[in-house]
Amino acid sequence: IANSEDHTVLAAVLDSTDLDVALSGEGPFTVFAPTDAAFDAVDPMTLISLLLDNEALSAVLTYHVVGDSVMSTDLTDDQVIATLNGGNVTVSIVDGTVMINEATVIVADLVGSNGVVHVIDAVLLPPAHIPQPIPPIPPAPCAGRALRRLRFPHQGRYFQER
């Protein structure tokens, strides 16, 4: 990962959280490594909030790591794999395409001295870090009365509800 031109963002955030030191240990590890393009696709506000919160960033990064060496031939459809952050990822295999949650494995089985790397096309966000939609704000009870009193300059009169 450290010398890959497609993983400069991943290498930088691993370094900023000191996880690069832990992952260079004895292992074995499996890393689902998102490309720079995968980080570019993350919602900018989510990415900023992660970069400002070292604990949350570490949780997301360790969600990409398994404490074992898992080759692509070891993966099965609907397999659930525990990650180092305590969460699980789910493997899907459809027509030979391997998915880890919503991410597609685009390069598999890059074997290193302490494990294996599978390159993926999306950043995996643990369920606690998936942004939830903002619920709609209910209208204030008096909003209807206020809207009925609006003056529209081109009409020269108040808008009245029928």
Side-chain angles (χ1 to χ4, degrees), residues 117-140:
V117 173
H118 302 292
V119 179
I120 56 175
D121 69 351
V123 175
L124 304 173
L125 295 176
H129 295 284
I130 296 175
Q132 299 299 313
I134 299 172
I137 299 172

Side-chain angles (χ1 to χ4, degrees), residues 148-152 155-160:
R148 288 191 295 266
R149 298 300 229 173
L150 290 177
R151 179 183 282 274
F152 292 94
Q155 293 175 330
R157 58 184 166 81
Y158 288 101
F159 174 77
Q160 298 293 323

Side-chain angles (χ1 to χ4, degrees), residues 14 19-25 27-32 58-69 81-89 114 124 126:
L14 285 170
L19 287 173
D20 60 328
V21 175
L23 291 177
S24 62
F29 300 108
T30 297
V31 178
F32 300 111
S58 292
V60 169
L61 293 173
T62 55
Y63 191 61
H64 289 79
V65 182
V66 176
D68 195 3
S69 184
I81 302 173
T83 66
L84 289 186
N85 90 338
N88 295 321
V89 293
N114 64 349
L124 304 173

